[in-house]
Amino acid sequence: AQSVTQLGSHVSVSEGALVLLRCNYSSSVPPYLFWYVQYPNQGLQLLLKYTTGATLVKGINGFEAEFKKSETSFHLTKPSAHMSDAAEYFCAVSESGGSYIPTFGRGTSLIVHP
Amino acid sequence: NAGVTQTPKFQVLKTGQSMTLQCAQDMNHEYMSWYRQDPGMGLRLIHYSVGAGITDQGEVPNGYNVSRSTTEDFPLRLLSAAPSQTSVYFCASSSRGSGNYGYTFGSGTRLTVV
C-alpha cells in the first residue's frame, strides 16, 4: 500500500523568499514520486517527477525536489518565490512494477505575500 | 490540441437523477483514471482503467460506474445522485510506454447535487 503525507495545509512566504513544501511517502516497493500544481479553477499540471536515476530532479518554473530514500521524503523547493507561484501543490506516489496509479496527498496551498 | 477533454464543465443535478461525465483523450494513453477533489481531502481515486475493457475500483467507488470500450473514452456514470457527490471531478490519463508515468489531467467537471 502507498500513501502520501503533506505537512502543512497552508504555507505562506514573502515574494523572493525560499519556498519549501514538505512531502513524505510510504511505499512497499521503490516509488515513483511526483509534484503537481493546480491554479484556481484549473486541472493539475505536472511540475516534476522522480522515477529512477538522479535523486535531485528539476521541474518547470524553477522548482526542484530531492528524493531521500532514508527519510522517505520528496520535498519541493524553489529558491525565490514569485507571486505567480501562488497555487495548490500536490505530492503523489505510485509504485514501480504495480498499477502505476498515483495516490495523492491532501495538498498544500502556497500563499505568496508581496 | 492534444490532451484530456472533460464535458460538461459545470452541472447541477437533483437528488436521485443520473448522469454521465464524459472524458476523452487523444494521446493513445492506456491508463485512465477518475478522481474527485473535495476541500482538504486532496484527490481521491474513484475508478481506473489500465486498457480498453479493463477497469477497477479505487478508494471511493460507491455510487459510480465506469466502462472502457475504447482507448480514447472513459465515461463516469452517477447512477442516483446524492448531495455527498457534490465535488469537482477530474479525469486523467497516462502512458507507461512513454517512460513518463506522469498523468495528464482534464480541466474538471464541477458537479452540484441539490
Side-chain angles (χ1 to χ4, degrees), chain A residues 32 34 36 38 41-44 46 49 51 90 98-107, chain B residues 31 33 35 37 40-43 45 48 50 90 96 99-103 105-107 110:
Chain A
Y32 293 156
F34 309 87
Y36 288 84
Q38 183 182 33
N41 299 315
Q42 295 186 24
L44 278 71
L46 183 65
K49 67 182 187 294
T51 53
F90 293 92
S99 68
Y100 300 96
I101 305 298
T103 297
F104 287 83
R106 296 194 171 194
Chain B
Y31 292 87
S33 300
Y35 292 88
Q37 182 178 24
M41 300 296 292
L43 278 79
L45 182 66
Y48 66 95
V50 298
F90 287 101
R96 185 194 314 186
N100 185 350
Y101 305 107
Y103 271 71
F105 280 79
S107 57
R110 188 175 295 274

